[in-house]
C-alpha cells in the first residue's frame, strides 16, 4: 500500500477547454481523516478539477503537492501509485466481467500471462470484511444493482490501495437507505485515516457527511470553510450565487375528475420480461402524481407505453375515458399528451437541430406553422422568438444547435415546446436530473403553473425531495407494479425509501 | 454410396474451414478489443499474393507463410494507425483497407506473374497408422499441417482471452475502455496489439488459400471469405468455439454444394453455389441478439476524457 496522504494540496490549478475556462486558479487542500465536500452547479468545474487530480486531464497551470512534495500526475495509474482513487459518476466497471476480474484489471499492471484470480478474490474478501461491504466476487457486474455496483467500485479503489478517495456524485442513483449506509461507511473510512473528496449538489448529504466544504462557481473557488457553520439554505446560496427558493405545493388539489387512467397494464421491457406487471394508476386534472422508485422498476416502460413508444400486452390506458393504448405516438400527441422524456439530449430533442426546429418539432405539420406542406418561415420565426423569450431560453439566437446548450436550457426548450401546446396531460420523466438548482427551480415553477391550469401531471423521479416538494400524491413503483400510493401530507422519506426497497409491512402503521 | 458422399463432404469441408477459422479468430481479437476490421478480405488477398510470390521465387512454403504474416502485420499497423491513433471511422477505414488489398494484390499479380502458374506449396500428409483408419483417418488424419494449427488455435485463443492477464485487458478495453483507462491500462496499445495480431492471422489465412489449398494465385482468390469470417465472429458471439462451429457450418455447406456439382446430382448449380452464403445470412438473422456479453464499445474510437 502506498504512503498515507497526510496532506494534499492543489495550487493554482487552471484548466481550459476550447472556449471554456473550466478551472480558474483553484487552490484546495485536504488532510488525512478529513471529508471535503466539493460543491457547485453543473459546469462549475468540480469534475474537471478532480479529473486533473486523477490524471485524466493535464492542467495548463498549477501544481499538486502530496505531503509537501510536488508530484506530477499524468495518468490514472500514476494517481493510483500515489494512493489516489476515484469513483466516477458513471461507474467505471466492465459489465461483462466478474467482480474479481474488474478488480484484477487494476492489479495486473504490465503483466501479460499470469492472472491469479484467487489472490485477488482473497484481497476482496479482506477489504469487504474490514468495511462490511458485502459482495459476491464471482457475480458479473451486469447482474448487480446500482447500489451493489457502487460497492464494487469502492472495494475496487480500496483494493488498489487508495488512501484518498474521490467520489463524484456517488449517491445519484442510490435509494435513501443506501445513501445513509454510504455516509456511515465514508465516515468510518475517514476515521481510519483515509481522506475523502465528496462531489455533490445534494446539500443534505453534504451537510451529513463532510467536515469542510469548497464551493466552485463558473470555474472559480468562491468559498471555503467548515460545513457545520452553514445551513442547507446558505450553502445553496453560495452555490448559485443568489438565493434559491425551491417552489413547493401550497394549496391542496381540488380536482377529482380523472384525466389519465391506467388499468392493469402489462408490458414487456428490453429484456423480454414483464417490466410492467399489472400496473394501475389514476391521475386527475390539476394534480401532480409522483412516481418514486429505484430506477429499473418499470419507470421507463411506463412513460414509453403512455406515449405509444412501446406497446402493452394487456390492460387499458384511458385519456378522458377513451382508450389510447397502443396508438401511434403521433396520435397520442394529437390527443393532448405532452412528454418530457428522461433523456433530453436524445429523446427530447434532436441535438444537431436548431432551437427553432426543436421547438416546432411536434407542430411543424399543422397550421399556421405549415400550409399545404410548406413551412411558413416567417410565422415559425416569430413563434420561436416568442417562446425563447417567454421561457427564458438562453441561446445566442434561434438558429443555435441544441447540442451546444446547457442541460438547463435544453430542458427549457422541451418545456417550451410541450407546455405551449396546451396539453391535457403531461408526463415528466426525471425533469430536473442533472440540472443545477436555478434551472430546477424554474422547471418546478413551470410544472406547478401547468398544474394550476388544470393539466394532469405524472412526475417520474428518483429524487424524493423533488417529489415531496411538488406532488399531490406519490405512488411507489416496484417491480412493475404500484406498491402503494401516499398522499403528500403523510409521505415521508423514510416511508418512501422502505417502499422503494419493496418493503410494505409498515402498511398498517401508515 | 451415401456414406461415401457424406464422408466426402466432411473430409472436404474440414480443410475448407481452416482459412475462415484463422481469419475469424483474428477478427475476434480485433472485435474483443473494440475494433471492427472490415479489411480482413483485403489483408487475406495480400497474404495470399505475397505468400504465393515468395514460394514461387524462393521455393520455401515456410518463408511464404512468414512473408504473408509479415504483410498482414503491416496492413494491421496501417489500420491501427488510422483507426486507433487518428480515430477514423472504423467501418469506412476497413472498406478502404479491403480496396487497397484487393487492388494492390491484383495489380502486383499482373505485373510480376501475369497468368495462372502453380506451385508445389504445402501438401496434405497422412499420419502414420492413424491416417489408415477407415473413415476417421480420411476425415481427421489426412490434412495439411495448417488445418491442425487452425483448430489448435481455438482452445489456445480461448485460454489467452479468458485465462491470461492480457486477455482480461483485451476484454475490458472492448467493453468499457474508459474504465480500463482509469485502471492504468493502455487502451490504445492493447488495440494496436489486437489489430496487428488479427491481421497477421488474416494474412496467414490468405496464404493458406494460395499455398496450401489451391496452389495458385488468381485475382480475388478469397471470394468474400474475409467478409464471411467477419460475419462468423458475430455468429459465434465473439467466442472461439462459437466461431469454430460457424466456420464448420459454412465450409460443410460449401463442400456440399461442390459435391452436388461433382456427383452430377440434378440440382441447378447456380442455386447450389449460393447455399453457404444464404445459410450464413439466415443463421445471422435468426441468431440470438444480445449485446450483453459482447464488446459493447465495438466500433467506437477511444478518446480519453470524452463523455458518452
Amino acid at each position: 500500500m502506498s504512503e498515507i496522504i497526510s496532506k494534499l494540496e492543489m495550487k493554482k490549478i487552471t484548466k481550459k477547454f476550447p472556449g471554456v475556462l473550466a478551472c480558474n486558479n483553484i487552490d484546495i487542500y485536504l488532510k488525512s481523516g478529513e471529508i471535503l465536500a466539493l460543491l457547485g452547479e453543473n459546469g462549475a468545474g468540480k469534475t474537471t478539477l478532480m479529473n486533473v487530480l486523477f490524471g485524466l486531464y493535464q492542467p495548463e497551470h498549477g501544481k499538486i503537492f502530496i505531503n509537501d512534495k510536488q508530484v506530477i500526475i499524468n495518468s490514472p495509474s500514476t494517481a493510483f501509485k500515489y494512493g489516489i482513487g476515484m469513483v466516477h459518476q458513471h461507474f467505471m466497471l466492465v459489465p461483462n466481467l466478474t467482480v474479481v476480474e474488474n478488480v484484477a484489471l487494476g492489479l495486473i499492471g504490465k503483466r501479460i500471462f499470469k492472472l491469479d484470480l484467487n489472490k485477488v478474490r482473497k484481497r476482496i474478501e479482506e477489504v469487504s470484511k474490514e468495511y462490511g461491504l458485502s459482495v459476491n466476487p464471482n457475480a458479473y457486474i451486469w447482474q448487480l444493482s446500482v447500489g451493489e455496483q457502487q460497492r464494487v467500485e469502492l472495494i475496487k479503489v480500496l483494493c488498489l490501495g487508495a488512501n484518498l478517495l474521490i467520489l463524484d456524485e456517488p449517491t445519484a442513483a442510490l435509494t435513501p437507505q443506501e445513501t445513509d449506509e454510504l455516509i456511515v461507511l465514508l465516515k468510518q473510512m475517514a476515521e481510519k485515516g483515509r481522506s475523502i473528496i465528496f462531489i455533490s449538489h445534494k446539500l443534505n448529504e453534504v451537510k451529513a457527511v463532510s467536515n469542510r466544504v469548497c464551493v466552485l462557481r463558473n470555474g472559480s473557488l468562491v468559498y471555503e470553510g467548515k460545513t457545520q457553520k452553514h445551513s442547507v439554505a446558505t450553502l445553496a446560496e453560495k452555490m448559485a450565487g443568489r438565493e434559491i427558493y425551491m417552489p413547493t405545493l401550497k394549496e391542496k388539489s381540488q380536482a377529482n375528475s380523472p384525466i389519465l387512467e391506467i388499468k392493469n397494464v402489462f408490458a414487456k421491457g428490453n429484456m423480454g420480461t414483464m417490466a410492467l406487471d399489472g400496473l394501475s394508476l389514476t391521475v386527475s386534472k390539476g394534480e401532480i402524481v409522483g412516481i418514486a422508485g429505484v430506477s429499473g422498476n418499470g419507470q421507463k416502460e411506463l412513460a414509453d407505453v403512455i406515449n405509444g413508444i412501446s406497446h402493452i400486452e394487456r390492460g387499458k390506458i384511458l385519456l378522458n375515458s377513451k382508450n389510447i393504448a397502443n396508438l401511434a405516438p403521433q396520435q397520442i400527441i394529437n390527443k393532448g399528451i405532452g412528454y418530457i422524456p428522461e433523456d433530453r439530449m436524445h429523446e427530447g430533442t434532436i441535438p444537431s437541430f436548431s432551437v427553432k426546429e426543436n421547438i416546432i418539432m411536434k407542430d411543424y405539420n399543422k397550421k399556421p406553422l405549415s400550409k399545404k406542406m410548406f413551412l411558413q418561415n416567417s410565422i415559425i420565426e416569430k413563434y420561436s422568438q416568442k417562446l425563447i423569450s417567454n421561457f427564458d431560453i438562453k441561446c445566442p439566437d434561434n438558429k443555435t444547435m441544441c447540442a451546444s446548450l446547457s442541460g438547463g436550457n435544453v430542458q427549457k426548450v422541451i418545456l417550451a415546446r410541450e407546455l405551449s401546446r396546451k396539453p391535457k396531460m403531461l408526463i415528466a420523466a426525471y425533469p430536473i436530473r442533472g440540472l443545477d438548482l436555478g434551472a430546477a427551480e424554474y422547471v418546478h415553477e413551470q410544472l406547478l403553473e401547468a398544474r394550476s391550469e388544470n393539466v394532469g401531471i405524472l412526475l417520474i423521479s428518483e429524487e424524493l425531495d423533488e417529489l415531496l416538494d411538488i406532488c399531490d400524491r406519490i405512488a411507489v413503483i416496484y417491480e412493475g407494479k404500484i406498491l402503494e400510493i401516499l398522499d403528500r401530507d403523510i409521505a415521508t422519506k423514510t416511508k418512501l425509501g422502505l417502499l422503494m426497497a419493496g418493503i410494505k409491512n409498515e402498511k398498517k402503521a401508515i | 454410396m451415401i456414406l461415401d458422399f457424406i464422408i466426402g463432404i466432411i473430409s472436404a469441408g474440414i480443410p475448407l474451414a481452416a482459412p475462415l477459422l484463422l481469419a475469424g479468430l483474428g477478427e475476434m481479437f480485433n472485435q474483443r478489443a473494440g475494433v471492427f476490421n472490415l479489411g480482413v478480405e483485403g489483408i487475406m488477398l495480400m497474404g495470399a499474393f505475397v505468400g504465393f510470390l515468395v514460394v514461387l521465387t524462393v521455393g520455401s512454403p515456410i518463408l511464404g507463410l512468414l512473408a504473408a504474416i509479415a504483410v498482414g502485420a503491416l496492413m494491421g499497423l496501417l489500420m491501427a494507425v488510422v483507426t486507433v491513433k487518428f480515430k477514423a471511422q472504423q467501418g469506412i477505414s476497413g472498406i478502404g483497407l479491403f480496396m487497397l488489398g484487393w487492388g494492390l494484390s491484383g495489380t502486383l499479380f499482373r505485373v510480376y506473374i501475369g497468368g495462372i502458374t502453380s506451385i508445389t506449396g504445402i501438401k496434405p500428409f497422412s499420419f502414420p497408422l492413424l491416417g489408415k483408419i477407415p473413415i476417421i483417418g480420411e476425415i481427421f488424419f489426412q490434412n495439411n499441417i495448417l488445418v491442425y494449427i487452425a483448430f489448435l488455435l481455438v482452445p489456445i485463443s480461448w485460454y489467452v482471452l479468458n485465462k491470461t492477464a492480457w486477455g482480461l485487458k483485451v476484454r475490458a478495453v472492448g467493453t468499457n475502455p474508459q474504465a480500463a483507462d482509469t485502471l492504468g491500462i493502455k487502451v490504445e496499445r492493447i488495440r494496436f496489439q489486437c489489430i496487428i495480431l488479427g491481421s497477421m492471422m488474416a494474412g496467414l489465412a490468405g496464404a493458406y488459400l494460395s499455398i496450401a489449398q489451391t496452389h495458385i494465385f488468381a485475382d480475388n482468390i478469397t471470394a468474400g471469405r474475409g467478409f464471411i469470417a467477419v460475419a462468423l465472429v458475430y455468429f459465434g458471439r465473439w467466442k472461439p468455439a462459437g466461431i469454430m462451429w460457424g466456420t464448420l457450418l459454412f465450409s460443410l455447406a460449401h463442400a456440399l454444394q461442390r459435391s452436388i456439382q461433382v456427383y452430377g446430382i440434378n440440382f441447378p448449380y447456380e442455386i447450389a453455389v449460393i447455399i453457404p452464403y444464404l445459410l450464413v445470412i439466415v443463421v445471422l438473422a435468426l441468431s440470438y441478439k444480445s449485446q450483453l456479453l459482447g464488446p459493447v464499445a465495438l466500433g467506437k474510437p477511444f478518446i480519453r476524457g470524452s463523455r458518452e
Side-chain angles (χ1 to χ4, degrees):
Chain A
M1 195 180 277
S2 40
E3 196 185 353
I4 282 279
I5 302 178
S6 50
K7 193 169 155 205
L8 168 95
E9 289 168 286
M10 296 179 81
K11 287 188 175 164
K12 303 211 179 309
I13 302 288
T14 298
K15 172 73 193 167
K16 289 178 195 146
F17 289 112
V20 192
L21 190 56
C23 292
N24 183 10
N25 226 4
I26 297 179
D27 285 301
I28 63 166
Y29 69 94
L30 181 65
K31 292 189 180 126
S32 100
E34 202 177 25
I35 303 182
L36 171 75
L38 204 54
L39 267 179
E41 303 202 316
N42 295 311
K46 300 165 295 192
T47 302
T48 308
L49 184 68
M50 288 304 108
N51 281 341
V52 167
L53 180 57
F54 192 56
L56 283 168
Y57 294 151
Q58 298 313 306
E60 267 80 36
H61 299 288
K63 291 172 181 164
I64 300 172
F65 295 85
I66 289 176
N67 299 343
D68 295 319
K69 271 184 294 206
Q70 190 184 343
V71 294
I72 290 169
I73 303 177
N74 49 20
S75 72
S77 46
T78 330
F80 274 120
K81 220 169 58 202
Y82 289 118
I84 299 172
M86 183 161 175
V87 175
H88 297 259
Q89 190 178 355
H90 304 285
F91 297 146
M92 291 296 182
L93 296 170
V94 184
N96 59 358
L97 301 186
T98 62
V99 172
V100 183
E101 287 176 323
N102 266 283
V103 175
L105 271 177
L107 294 169
I108 48 182
K110 290 203 165 63
R111 237 172 283 158
I112 294 175
F113 293 110
K114 199 163 170 263
L115 183 64
D116 189 353
L117 290 179
N118 284 325
K119 211 168 127 196
V120 179
R121 199 170 285 128
K122 259 202 202 115
R123 183 87 191 95
I124 292 175
E125 276 157 11
E126 278 167 30
V127 169
S128 58
K129 223 190 209 159
E130 189 181 350
Y131 290 99
L133 289 160
S134 66
V135 71
N136 170 12
N138 298 322
Y140 282 96
I141 299 299
W142 59 267
Q143 297 171 321
L144 303 179
S145 72
V146 177
E148 288 172 309
Q149 290 188 21
Q150 174 142 52
R151 245 176 278 159
V152 176
E153 277 281 28
L154 283 169
I155 289 173
K156 186 175 85 180
V157 269
L158 290 171
C159 283
L160 300 182
N163 290 316
L164 187 154
L165 276 80
I166 309 167
L167 289 97
D168 191 357
E169 308 216 3
T171 60
L174 300 187
T175 62
Q177 277 79 6
E178 283 172 328
T179 303
D180 291 343
E181 282 169 26
L182 179 70
I183 288 175
V184 172
L185 180 73
L186 293 181
K187 287 187 162 166
Q188 240 179 57
M189 287 181 186
E191 271 164 30
K192 294 191 179 170
R194 294 202 157 84
S195 34
I196 293 162
I197 302 180
F198 187 89
I199 305 181
S200 182
H201 54 228
K202 293 189 188 171
L203 299 168
N204 291 326
E205 291 159 16
V206 168
K207 260 312 264 177
V209 74
S210 67
N211 311 108
R212 213 152 47 80
V213 45
C214 283
V215 181
L216 301 185
R217 200 191 307 145
N218 296 329
S220 302
L221 182 69
V222 293
Y223 179 79
E224 190 265 304
K226 290 238 183 303
T227 312
Q228 59 192 40
K229 281 197 214 154
H230 293 279
S231 68
V232 168
T234 54
L235 286 174
E237 200 184 316
K238 295 234 177 309
M239 217 162 110
R242 65 184 172 91
E243 284 186 67
I244 295 279
Y245 299 101
M246 281 309 273
T248 54
L249 207 55
K250 305 270 166 6
E251 79 288 12
K252 249 193 140 115
S253 162
Q254 302 304 321
N256 48 12
S257 65
I259 174 83
L260 181 75
E261 295 164 90
I262 300 167
K263 290 186 174 166
N264 205 22
V265 161
F266 290 81
K268 278 186 184 161
N270 278 343
M271 311 293 280
T273 51
M274 280 295 168
L276 296 181
D277 198 9
L279 184 140
S280 298
L281 183 70
T282 303
V283 182
S284 297
K285 289 175 184 162
E287 180 191 43
I288 302 184
V289 176
I291 299 279
V294 179
S295 66
N297 273 294
Q299 292 96 322
K300 186 177 165 38
E301 289 80 5
L302 178 62
D304 280 354
V305 297
I306 298 173
N307 288 290
I309 294 160
S310 56
H311 281 189
I312 63 171
E313 304 278 314
R314 264 187 293 149
K316 275 182 188 163
I317 302 175
L318 306 177
L319 181 74
N320 267 337
S321 316
K322 281 196 209 85
N323 198 1
I324 58 162
N326 294 350
L327 293 183
Q330 173 89 67
Q331 292 171 299
I332 292 172
I333 289 168
N334 291 341
K335 288 193 186 304
I337 290 196
Y339 184 27
I340 300 173
E342 173 179 356
D343 183 350
R344 64 183 75 101
M345 264 312 184
H346 296 104
E347 278 187 87
T349 56
I350 300 181
S352 60
F353 276 27
S354 66
V355 172
K356 179 171 78 173
E357 287 164 326
N358 272 301
I359 279 178
I360 64 161
M361 195 63 75
K362 282 189 173 173
D363 296 298
Y364 64 92
N365 56 355
K366 296 196 186 76
K367 280 182 180 174
L369 298 180
S370 78
K371 233 186 254 169
K372 296 199 172 83
M373 289 170 59
F374 288 97
L375 292 174
Q376 302 300 304
N377 273 320
S378 57
I379 296 172
I380 292 171
E381 190 69 27
K382 268 185 226 143
Y383 179 71
S384 63
Q385 294 294 4
K386 193 180 93 191
L387 292 195
I388 286 172
S389 76
N390 284 359
F391 284 82
D392 191 29
I393 300 166
K394 293 200 179 67
C395 54
D397 60 41
N398 65 2
K399 290 178 195 66
T400 311
M401 279 200 315
C402 264
S404 64
L405 301 184
S406 72
N409 278 305
V410 172
Q411 197 69 308
K412 283 179 182 176
V413 171
I414 297 171
L415 277 171
R417 180 181 69 212
E418 300 299 325
L419 293 176
S420 57
R421 310 182 70 249
K422 299 284 168 219
K424 300 186 186 104
M425 175 73 210
L426 181 69
I427 317 295
Y430 312 98
I432 63 164
R433 180 191 272 173
L435 300 188
D436 51 51
L437 283 170
E441 182 189 21
Y442 183 84
V443 171
H444 281 181
E445 279 164 3
Q446 291 295 323
L447 292 180
L448 287 173
E449 199 177 310
R451 171 181 176 271
S452 67
E453 286 164 7
N454 233 8
V455 178
I457 297 175
L458 188 68
L459 173 63
I460 302 173
S461 176
E462 58 207 357
E463 304 236 12
L464 295 181
D465 287 321
E466 172 176 28
L467 295 169
L468 291 166
D469 274 354
I470 64 168
C471 290
D472 294 288
R473 292 186 294 144
I474 300 171
V476 178
I477 191 170
Y478 182 75
E479 292 185 344
K481 286 195 222 14
I482 298 297
L483 199 60
E484 185 83 59
I485 303 179
L486 302 180
D487 277 333
R488 68 174 276 115
D489 36 359
I490 58 161
T492 62
K493 273 196 189 184
T494 323
K495 282 182 195 169
L496 290 171
L498 286 171
L499 286 167
M500 280 162 73
I503 301 164
K504 207 188 164 181
N505 52 12
E506 264 210 342
K507 196 187 171 191
K508 292 285 180 315
I510 293 167
Chain B
M1 169 70 191
I2 287 290
L3 188 68
D4 279 355
F5 185 71
I6 293 172
I7 293 170
I9 289 171
I10 298 176
S11 59
I14 287 177
L16 285 174
L20 288 168
L21 195 51
L22 288 168
L25 290 174
E27 178 70 9
M28 179 197 74
F29 278 106
N30 263 307
Q31 296 200 4
R32 274 302 184 105
V35 181
F36 183 64
N37 188 355
L38 264 184
V40 179
E41 176 88 358
I43 300 171
M44 283 177 74
L45 279 165
M46 280 304 285
F49 172 74
V50 170
F52 179 78
L53 187 67
V54 169
V55 177
L56 189 67
T57 47
V58 185
S60 155
I62 301 286
L63 280 182
L65 296 177
L66 289 177
I69 291 173
V71 158
L74 275 178
M75 291 186 73
L77 182 66
L78 176 66
M79 179 73 183
V81 168
V82 172
T83 58
V84 179
K85 185 80 193 155
F86 294 108
K87 318 209 186 291
Q89 214 277 341
Q90 293 173 6
I92 301 296
S93 313
I95 291 173
L97 197 67
F98 156 58
M99 303 287 275
L100 175 72
W102 184 21
L104 202 59
S105 61
T107 306
L108 292 175
F109 172 65
R110 279 185 289 278
V111 170
Y112 290 106
I113 300 168
I116 298 294
T117 318
S118 77
I119 50 169
T120 320
I122 297 173
K123 287 242 156 31
F125 67 97
S126 182
F127 276 82
L129 295 175
L130 290 174
K132 299 222 163 54
I133 305 170
I135 303 177
I136 304 221
E138 192 179 334
I139 293 174
F140 295 108
F141 298 108
Q142 295 183 8
N143 291 305
N144 70 63
I145 180 79
L146 284 173
V147 174
Y148 302 108
I149 290 177
F151 280 91
L152 256 180
L153 279 172
V154 173
I156 292 174
S157 300
W158 177 85
Y159 186 86
V160 167
L161 206 53
N162 292 295
K163 296 290 167 194
T164 67
W166 185 75
L168 183 61
K169 291 180 199 176
V170 170
R171 285 181 289 149
V173 160
T175 311
N176 191 344
Q178 272 77 17
D181 186 39
T182 58
L183 291 170
I185 291 165
K186 304 253 185 292
V187 175
E188 302 201 337
R189 186 178 299 173
I190 298 285
R191 288 191 168 175
F192 257 79
Q193 290 165 351
C194 281
I195 297 174
I196 291 171
L197 172 67
S199 303
M200 285 162 72
M201 289 170 75
L204 181 62
Y208 178 95
L209 293 176
S210 61
I211 300 177
Q213 188 170 313
T214 59
H215 302 128
I216 57 160
F217 181 85
D219 198 4
N220 200 18
I221 187 176
T222 50
R225 284 184 185 80
F227 291 108
I228 295 290
V230 175
L232 291 174
V233 174
Y234 280 86
F235 171 85
R237 312 306 304 163
W238 300 278
K239 291 192 176 75
I243 293 167
M244 181 185 77
W245 294 122
T247 58
L248 281 173
L249 180 73
F250 179 82
S251 56
L252 288 177
H254 196 65
L256 171 72
Q257 69 87 2
R258 269 203 204 167
S259 300
I260 287 174
Q261 292 183 56
V262 171
Y263 278 73
I265 293 166
N266 189 13
F267 189 83
Y269 86 92
E270 294 91 342
I271 292 177
V273 173
I274 64 171
I275 288 175
Y277 299 90
L278 207 60
L279 195 67
V280 169
I281 294 173
V282 169
V283 170
L284 266 182
L286 298 181
S287 65
Y288 177 63
K289 280 174 216 66
S290 165
Q291 278 282 318
L292 211 53
L293 297 172
V296 182
L298 185 59
K300 295 178 198 149
F302 171 69
I303 302 164
R304 180 183 274 183
S306 76
R307 296 175 191 176
E308 280 172 58

